[in-house]
Structures are given as structure tokens and as C-alpha cells.
Amino acid sequence: MTLQETLEIHVKSAINALFQSELESVEFQATRKEFAGDITVVVFPMLRVVKGNPAVIGEQVGQYLLDHVELVKGFNVVKGFLNIEISDSYYHNFFQTIKDKSNYGFVEKKEDKAVMVEYSSPNTNKPLHLGHVRNVLLGYSVAEILKASGKTVYKTQIINDRGIHICKSMLAYQKFGQGEVPSETLKGDKLVGNYYVKFDQEYKAQISELVENGQTEEEAKKNAPLLLEAQEMLINWEAGDEDVVALWKKMNQWVYDGFDVTYKNIGVDFDSYYYESNTYLLGKEFVAEGLKTGVFFKKEDGSVWCDLTEDGLDEKIVLRSDGTAVYMTQDIGTAIQRIKDFPDVGGMVYTVGNEQDYHFKVLFLILKKLGFDWAKNLFHLSYGMVDLPSGKMKSREGTVVDADDLIKEMADTAEEISKELGKLEDYDYTEKKALYKTIGLGALKYYILKVDPKKRILFDPKESIDFQGNTGPFIQYTYARIQSILRKADANSKPVDYTELPLHEKEKQLIKQLELFPEVIQNAAEQHSPALIANYTYDLVKAFNSFYQNVSILGADSEQEKQFRVELSRIVSQTIKNAFQVLGIQVPERM
């Protein structure tokens, strides 16, 4: 039970004993720095059930707590705010309960119903880029946070391996590829991506030519021979044409092999994979079912729709007039297939950019209309785009920041800054390279995850690797500093009892910050927000650095003080490690 929960019980008892009234809840806030106290009770909301002067009520409640509650050692009232001072013994007792917990903050007991978290979900016509990186980091971290909060979690992705965009890469390769294959210098996903760009270049050239010959731009876009060929290729693929399917399989495998390298580099994993080429068929089955039950209706041209106008949305197509599936069809099939495969799943989180907000409103509503009970537990983890100082990225124009290049650039930047600071003189080459990657990736992940998912990000690699301020490397450096203290501490000294020690204000602040961690994990899980963990960790590190600058750890006046401060430093470093673990960030033992 937290301090706040404990005090809430006692404040309610005080109100009951003093005024024979029942309080539904107690409002707390942090005590302002200029007043004595560790936690503040806001008296004003109590006036709903207790009549009188808030300052007088505060005095009476404060005196009751001082007389009846052991952990309260003093109080003062400022207008309608009751500032309560908590005894050192409370903080010592709390510290004793957490100091040996390597998994402090995490809930071990798993709930009955599992959660499936979808992220990455790339197209097989291009490599992963900076936009995918935010998606992957967010999804992976939310999965880890949900796991830490006590849920069973399955990580998955849906691979967009079919559709007109895939056919564009295939057609361009067929026409211009000249048998090119992936190599050590050209990963398969990049090779295929090059042909997606090539298609766009040739398509635009054809549009220009048609416009010169008298067509409108709109007509030219529809009539360009390359697009018509790509559309024909898609129809042939759905019909199972042997040559088209063989090319599709070959090029997709090149892309999967390339993706695997990127995922390994960035440090994320998956428990299952789904492919749209499989799930769209199941989607079609349920569209046929929904037609019978009246969830869907057919228009004169044969296309199938869902009317959502009564729900404040519009009509949504689920099958084209030629019988081919749209994204919605696939997503219906994918959701249903996942529950079939994982019967213990009671909800799903979809990590997809905010340009798809409407799509997911429609998907969740259709699944509810089809009668699936679990549809009420679907959540769209919507996030803002990532911009660069140079502007927006466009895949088909080839103006994207490639994920592999970005990871390498981050490690190179970490190397450059570390050399300037001269921090790694005694490391050998291999150690340095591994550390540069840890720092670079830590900087990238933290910079992206510390921002609320809904907000757009302007990503600046240089700024993210600053060793000062709210950055990954600053937190990693503090962790490494604590490891250095722990290595210097005398491990052979005999344990002493430090539970009666009077606490320094900085020690107390640090323990207060530690006490918040389990609640932060739960809030981050509830809100699907790694930013809460990232910013909590920064606050913890700031509290530690303030403690480090104000009290001597290894040079403490007594063995009791020294051991307590070493133990306190150790649990702080463990909490940093646990917090960074759910963000997918490694912490180096030395820096």
C-alpha cells in the first residue's frame, strides 16, 4: 500500500471521528517546497460533507493524525492545505521492502485474459524507415509495459504482402531488374524498395506524356500503361497465376530477410506473424456471413458495404465490385484469425499512425456489429508522424530516412561525441563499438519514447545524444556512474542496522521518487504511454544526481550511513534498469 493509500484511510477515519461524516475520497498533492511536509491534503473538497472554515478543519484533522497515526510526525496548515510530515521510520520500512527486489515495480501475477499488441506491420515493397522506427519502438515498449503491469502479452505484426503497391515493385523489377539479386552491400528490402521508387519515376513520366497528348492529369493517372499493368498483375495474383505468384514469393522473401536484420539491430521481437495474403480470404468469408445477417449490403455494381451512418460515420466499402478485398476486409479477417489462434486474448492494441484514426473507428465498430464480444477491448495506439529538420518523408519518391542507416548514424554520432568528451580512453576497440551502439540506440529510443505518442516529433539525431538534459545517454551515464560507486564500495564489510538513521532530505526525496515507480508502470499501461516511464526515469535520475551532489556516499561519516547510501544507490540503479528495460533500452555497466 502506498503512502497516499495509507493516509487516505486515516484521513477518512479522522473525518468520521471528528465530524461523523463519510468522505468518498481524499485529494492529495505534492507539498510546495517553501513549506515543511512530505505530502499535502487539500481540504476544500471536504467542504461538501463538512461545513466550516477550511483552515480550522485542516488543523483539527492534522492534530487527529498526529495523535493517532504513528507515521505522522508533524503538520502545518496553510489556508486550505494540510501539509503532513512523515516519520523517517515510514521511509526506512518502505525501503526495506524493496531493496532486495530485482524486479521492483513489476507485477508477477498474470491476469487471465491476454493482450495482443500489433506493431511494425510493414509493406513488402520498401525497407523500414524512420516512421516505422517510431511505430516499432512504441509497440514494443507498450507490450513490455503491459507485461510489467501484470498482463500476458503476445507481440505480433500483420505484413502487408499483397495489393497494388506490392505489384508496383514487382512490375518494375520485371521490366527493369535484369536479374538483380540481394547481396552483402544491398539488402533484399532495399533492393525491392528501389524498384518501388523506379515504378513511381516511370509512372510519372508516362503521365506527363499522356498530358502532353491531350489527356487531363486525372485521366492520365488512370490510363498510364504501367498502372494498368500493375492492376492486371494484382488480378492475376488473386487468380493464382503461377508466374506472378512465384515472383511475389521470391521478392517477398528478400524483404523478410532484410526486415529480420533490421529488427535484430533495433532490438525488438515478435511472437507471431500474420500475412494479409492469408487473412483477406477469411475477411471475405465473414463479409459473406455479414451479408446474410444484414451487417453488410450489396450495391448495384456488386460492391459490398457497411452502413455506419446511424453511428455517426459513413458507408464503408468492404469488397470491390470485381470481388477483390480492401484493407478493411483484411483487417476484419486478421482480427478474427488472431482470436482463433490465441483463445486467451481478450483485447488487442493496434500501433498505427494517426492518419488511420478513422479506419480503426470503422474496423472496431464493424467487429462489434458482427457480434464479437472482444471487440469492445480493441485499442488504436495512434501516434503522430516523425519529421526531420529537412521536412516530411515520402517512400515512393525515395526521400526517406532508412532505419538501418539511422541506427548506424546514431552509433557514429555517439562515437563522435564520446571521443570529444574523452570518456572511453581505457576501452578496447570491440568494447567501444558495442558501447557506441548501446548509447546511439538508447538515444534514439529515448528521444522518441519520451514524447507523448499523439504528438508529432521533429527528430534531431545530434540533440538526442546530448550527455546532459532529458536524454537517453544522460540517464545511461548516471546508471554507469552508480555502477562505479557500487564497484568501489567494500563488499566485504559486515551488514549493519541503519533503520534508525535520521534521513537526509535528499535521501527522503529519492525514496519518495522510488515509491512512485509501481504506480507509474500501471498508469503507463493504462494510457499506453511509454512517455510516462521515460519522464519518470529522468526525474529519478535528477533526484539521484541531487542526492549525489549533496551527500557523501563512500565518504559518509559512519558505516551505517555509508551502507544505507550504497544500498539506496543500488536500488535506484536497479529501478533505472527496470524502467529502461520496458522502453527496450540497454544500460551500460561502464561509460
Side-chain angles (χ1 to χ4, degrees), residues 475-491:
I475 294 169
Q476 288 173 320
Y477 183 67
T478 303
Y479 176 86
R481 169 187 273 172
I482 298 174
Q483 300 318 298
S484 172
I485 293 166
L486 299 181
R487 284 192 293 273
K488 288 173 189 166
D490 183 5

Side-chain angles (χ1 to χ4, degrees), residues 115-295:
V115 182
M116 185 169 271
V117 181
E118 173 194 293
Y119 56 95
S120 188
S121 307
N123 296 332
T124 57
N125 63 334
K126 56 193 174 191
L128 302 174
H129 57 61
L130 177 55
H132 291 114
V133 169
R134 185 175 197 190
N135 180 305
V136 165
L137 297 182
L138 259 179
Y140 177 84
S141 181
V142 164
E144 291 298 315
I145 291 166
L146 287 167
K147 210 184 284 182
S149 78
K151 290 179 170 58
T152 299
V153 177
Y154 301 113
K155 301 170 193 165
T156 192
Q157 61 171 306
I158 174 77
I159 297 170
N160 304 306
D161 64 341
R162 64 174 288 282
I164 192 70
H165 49 295
I166 310 299
C167 290
K168 286 175 182 178
S169 292
M170 289 164 60
L171 185 66
Y173 179 77
Q174 209 174 48
K175 285 181 173 297
F176 313 110
Q178 298 178 324
E180 186 181 17
V181 293
S183 63
E184 277 186 29
T185 54
L186 183 64
K187 281 169 69 211
D189 52 338
K190 290 187 175 51
L191 184 151
V192 173
N194 290 344
Y195 287 99
Y196 184 58
V197 174
K198 179 70 174 166
F199 178 93
D200 192 61
Q201 289 165 349
E202 298 292 330
Y203 174 52
K204 280 180 177 165
Q206 287 186 354
I207 292 168
S208 298
E209 198 178 318
L210 291 171
V211 169
E212 276 174 29
N213 291 331
Q215 292 194 22
T216 66
E217 192 170 340
E218 207 53 46
E219 288 168 341
K221 281 180 177 175
K222 286 179 186 169
N223 298 332
L226 261 184
L227 180 66
L228 297 175
E229 281 186 75
Q231 288 168 341
E232 188 186 351
M233 187 180 258
L234 177 59
I235 290 165
N236 289 340
W237 179 87
E238 287 210 11
D241 180 286
E242 276 186 34
D243 291 341
V244 172
V245 169
L247 178 64
W248 171 77
K249 283 182 176 172
K250 178 169 76 172
M251 290 181 72
N252 274 354
Q253 193 56 54
W254 290 346
V255 175
Y256 301 147
D257 294 342
F259 284 168
D260 285 345
V261 172
T262 308
Y263 292 140
K264 193 175 176 188
N265 272 336
I266 210 163
V268 299
D269 59 0
F270 299 91
D271 300 306
S272 63
Y273 295 80
Y274 288 85
Y275 301 88
E276 285 192 358
S277 53
N278 297 328
T279 62
Y280 87 101
L281 296 168
L282 183 63
K284 279 182 161 182
E285 281 177 36
F286 275 88
V287 167
E289 282 296 312
L291 267 171
K292 290 179 197 166
T293 57
V295 173

Side-chain angles (χ1 to χ4, degrees), residues 88-89 91-93 95-96 99 493-503 558-565 567:
D88 287 356
S89 62
Y91 293 108
H92 274 300
N93 290 339
F95 183 70
Q96 289 302 313
K99 72 181 181 69
S493 57
K494 290 177 183 171
V496 295
D497 181 12
Y498 45 70
T499 54
E500 298 299 319
L501 267 181
L503 289 175
S558 69
E559 186 60 27
Q560 284 176 307
E561 281 181 326
K562 178 186 158 185
Q563 280 200 29
F564 173 65
R565 288 169 186 172
E567 284 292 295

